[in-house]
Amino acid sequence: MARRLPQGLDHNRRHPMPNRHVAQIIENQVVTTAKSTDTVRSAAERMCERKIGAVLVVDGETLVGIFTERDALNRVIAANLNPDTTRLSEVMTADPQSIAPDAPFRNALHLMYENGFRHVPVTKDGRPLGMVSARDALGLDLLEFESDLELRENISEILG
């Protein structure tokens, strides 16, 4: 009996295939943005509410930076800055590298790996459409893990 593997898995190698386009990763995502004049506290509260690790910093509709949990830790807390008065423009990563929605997700993973960051803004014509993160790759691993568990259960049933 032929088994169907979850979408995104290679039927021959049974490895996750990060060949999906970035647009597929962000298709149901709500873009979370902040203004460069917002305080660190307001950005941190927004990140906490939405259970995300970064916000995209915009000027109008144009991406100008990214503020991450690491930025909060390294540039605010460790630097003994006041989150109630420190503006994102003072501690964000300005002009972050971004990726186009039609790029393969593996390109975003490569960008993260090569540059040591966990989040990559997705933009088109400078306008943020969403963000991909290292956690998105974990989703592919979870699919493979679930498929492996299901296969083991099926084998156990067959062998009795």
Side-chain angles (χ1 to χ4, degrees), residues 24-42:
Q24 292 174 282
I25 306 288
I26 66 164
E27 65 187 350
N28 297 317
Q29 197 177 92
V30 175
V31 181
T32 303
T33 62
K35 297 176 185 172
S36 61
T37 55
D38 289 352
T39 65
V40 167
R41 171 131 5 245
S42 69

Side-chain angles (χ1 to χ4, degrees), residues 8 14 18 21-22 43 51 77-78 81-82 88 97 100-101 121 140 148 160:
R14 294 192 31 79
H21 285 96
V22 170
K51 295 179 174 67
I77 295 169
L81 297 178
N82 183 342
L88 291 181
Q97 292 185 33
L140 295 171
D148 286 345

Side-chain angles (χ1 to χ4, degrees), residues 58-110:
V58 294
D59 181 10
E61 290 190 10
T62 304
L63 179 71
V64 295
I66 185 171
F67 181 74
T68 68
E69 295 166 320
R70 281 184 176 177
D71 294 330
L73 178 65
N74 297 323
R75 297 178 179 176
V76 181
I77 295 169
N80 201 30
L81 297 178
N82 183 342
D84 293 314
T85 58
T86 303
R87 304 284 171 206
L88 291 181
S89 60
E90 301 170 52
V91 291
M92 69 183 187
T93 300
D95 301 316
Q97 292 185 33
S98 64
I99 195 157
D102 60 348
F105 181 54
R106 70 176 175 272
N107 291 13
L109 291 173
H110 182 75

Side-chain angles (χ1 to χ4, degrees), residues 1 3 150-160:
M1 177 170 129
R3 271 186 9 90
E150 185 179 321
L151 179 63
R152 288 179 187 166
E153 287 172 9
N154 290 342
I155 290 171
S156 293
E157 288 175 15
I158 292 169
L159 296 177

